[in-house]
Amino acid sequence: MDYISTRGKVGAIGFIDAVLMGLADDGGLLVPKTIPQVSADTLANWRRLSYPELALEVFSLYMSEEIPREDLKKLVDDSYATFRDEHVTPVRRVKNNLHILELFHGPTFAFKDIALQFLGNLYAYISRRKNSIIHILGATSGDTGASAIEGVRGKEGIRICILHPHGKVSKVQELQMTTVDDANVLNLSVDGNFDDCQRIIKELFADVPFKQKYHLRAINSINIARVLAQTVYYFYAYFQLENQGQAGPVNFSVPTGNFGDIFAGYLAKKMGLPVGKLILATNENNILERFVREGVYEPGEFHMTYSPSMDIQVASNFERYLYYLYGEDAAAVSALMEGFKKEGKIVVPGEKLRQVQADFAAYGVQNDECLATVGQYHDEYGYLLDPHTACGVAAADRLAGDGEVTVALATAHPAKFNEAIELLQIEQTFPPQIEALFDKPQRQTLVGGSNEAVKAELLKFF
Ligand SMILES: *Cc1c(COP(=O)(O)O)cnc(C)c1O
């Protein structure tokens, strides 16, 4: 499988090079040159596979020429052995036609572990195979950082530096990152918000000589390996329902920030999975909701909400969708992104907007509705949603048609976001792994929100 850039000036390159490149050198995002098609027969064959077996089949379509099957199998098995549930991503029915896909049974209790356990092992594998150092640089709104650190802590040949917005991540998220004492981990707490962190990272990666000299690698959801790892659970959820006797297409409702998770669902649908509606749920940072409704993509005012991992204005994976919306026309995408840089917005014409609305339904959940949803599901169904998941569930309740079956993605465990849960006077029992964090010492470095300040810290660390 070859990979090319959405802006047309990189490619074709192989899977490992695409993983190592992260952001494409022309500023675009890497996508598979052709999307592999999964036939009805293959779907039927995959139906009874375990999660790791299914992951191996899906990954083989995208990376098999470069990673021998035995090696890939070991990477996959190691990555999902760290999960606490035998199904890795179990589906639970909460009420008629609404199922919750629990993606939070990995080491850091958020869905990011599904991709980052794999990416951590993959980087270690690549480092061994190429006998070269890997320096990982990433920005986080909270969950990616913890998960990426957990994926590579203590691994030989790898150093990791994570930027998070100072004081704008939840207490548990902060502790998960900063209580790790392995020498290969550096946490920078940046004076700014997540968009500032993400901008700094993008600028440092765009500095190609710097990136090459220091072997900088990405773990953000722009990395194609993350998207691919996330397509697996759409298939797996579908099969779980099918094995329970549910036939026909299924909607997925996805709490969305950087558009990585929902793009994986879009890719699964393009591969041939019978997906009904892809419901895009946002919080008050609703740039993507406005895009789906009006065809205008324009960052608005930044809001802090109960779902901080979705407090994002510029969705870094969105360009991948634009690429397919414009019929894989890299020149058109380059022009749109150029325009976005100059004018700060993208406007798509009516006929494209109709396509967008065929691909997605969207709903932005306000803070009070988010909390009300957590309260309602707790009282009526005895199920405690985290605030991100609650956005997806609220959107599903609004947008799923009568009789349609919807799977709402549970992207985090509620213990990670107790600040919001407490407001409802709901007392939850923390899992012991989270409870233990409160007694550990923290390590982090405060830095200003400029790329010079961050660069200076990096040069000390590398
Ligand atoms: C990262 C994250 C999201 C958003 O996922 P994207 O791929 O960025 O759209 C939603 N919920 C939680 C808990 C997250 O950690």
Side-chain angles (χ1 to χ4, degrees), residues 111-112 141 144 194-195 198 221 226 230 254-263 279-283 285-289 297 305 307-319 388 391 411:
F111 89 99
K112 305 289 198 298
S141 57
T144 297
F194 173 67
D195 288 306
Q198 189 153 262
S221 61
R226 282 188 58 179
Q230 290 171 182
V254 189
T256 296
N258 255 328
F259 204 81
D261 201 2
I262 198 164
F263 182 78
I279 298 174
L280 187 159
T282 71
N283 60 24
N285 298 288
N286 67 342
I287 173 171
L288 290 166
E289 181 205 15
Y297 179 84
T305 71
S307 46
S309 301
M310 295 155 63
D311 289 349
I312 290 171
Q313 288 289 335
V314 180
S316 56
N317 273 287
F318 181 63
E319 182 170 339
H388 303 77
C391 292
T411 49

Side-chain angles (χ1 to χ4, degrees), residues 23 136-140 161-164 188 190 194-207 210-211 216-220 222 450-451 454 458:
L23 184 71
I136 297 171
L137 177 62
T140 186
C161 169
I162 296 292
L163 279 57
H164 70 264
L188 297 180
V190 175
F194 173 67
D195 288 306
D196 296 318
C197 297
Q198 189 153 262
R199 176 184 41 79
I200 293 170
I201 298 287
K202 268 207 157 187
E203 285 171 11
L204 293 176
F205 275 107
D207 182 347
F210 182 74
K211 171 174 159 180
L216 291 191
R217 306 303 178 198
I219 42 87
N220 282 94
I222 53 173
S450 71
N451 81 24
V454 169
L458 283 179

